[in-house]
């Protein structure tokens, strides 16, 4: 797995950090975000979605586990919050592998909860506020 580090010292730095992330996406489609609780994962993903043209309300999918959005040109963006997943069967039941192999952009919070399902091409994104 490829790993990238993103430093976002203040909220004012958020838009530029999201622009840099988006410009580096390339052909990658699956991104696993790592940061401590309250570390800005949802805030960063929300900004990325806005910059990709999502006009819907963007919120953490904590209880739904996945929210689907449409960005520019109808592009589907899947935002996962896997914090509440306790067993592999829960991820299987929601069809998580179907999402990962759909070709859609997948942005995953708490990827350690579904580690066995993450494809080899998953990009690990570590968020920092240094």
């Amino acid at each position: 797995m490829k790993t990238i580090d993103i430093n976002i010292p203040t909220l004012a730095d958020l838009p530029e950090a999201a622009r840099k992330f988006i410009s580096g996406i390339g052909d990658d489609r699956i991104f696993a975000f790592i940061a401590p609780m309250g570390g800005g994962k949802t805030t960063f993903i929300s900004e990325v979605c806005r910059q990709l043209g999502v006009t819907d309300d963007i919120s953490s999918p904590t209880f739904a586990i996945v929210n689907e959005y449409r960005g520019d040109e109808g592009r589907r963006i899947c935002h996962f919050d896997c914090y509440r997943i306790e067993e592999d069967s829960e991820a299987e039941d929601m069809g998580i592998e179907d999402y990962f192999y759909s070709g859609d952009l997948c942005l995953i919070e708490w990827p350690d909860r579904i580690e066995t399902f993450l494809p080899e091409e998953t990009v690990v994104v570590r968020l920092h506020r240094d």
Side-chain angles (χ1 to χ4, degrees), residues 81-125:
D81 183 337
C82 298
Y83 184 77
R84 297 176 57 87
I85 293 179
E86 295 180 6
E87 297 183 21
D88 284 353
S89 62
E90 295 173 78
E92 288 173 329
D93 290 347
M94 67 172 283
I96 203 152
E97 290 179 314
D98 293 336
Y99 284 103
F100 293 163
Y101 295 102
S102 68
D104 296 323
L105 184 61
C106 295
L107 308 173
I108 309 158
E109 298 183 43
W110 301 101
D112 56 313
R113 304 291 177 118
I114 56 161
E115 195 168 6
T116 58
F117 297 100
L118 294 174
E120 186 176 314
E121 64 270 16
T122 300
V123 178
V124 175
V125 181

Side-chain angles (χ1 to χ4, degrees), residues 28-62:
D28 294 318
R29 293 290 167 258
I30 304 168
F31 296 89
F33 290 83
I34 308 292
M37 180 83 69
K41 295 178 294 295
T42 300
T43 303
F44 182 74
I45 289 171
S46 295
E47 180 64 23
V48 167
C49 288
R50 275 191 287 283
Q51 290 192 27
L52 289 173
V54 173
T55 57
D56 295 333
D57 181 38
I58 303 164
S59 61
S60 176
T62 302

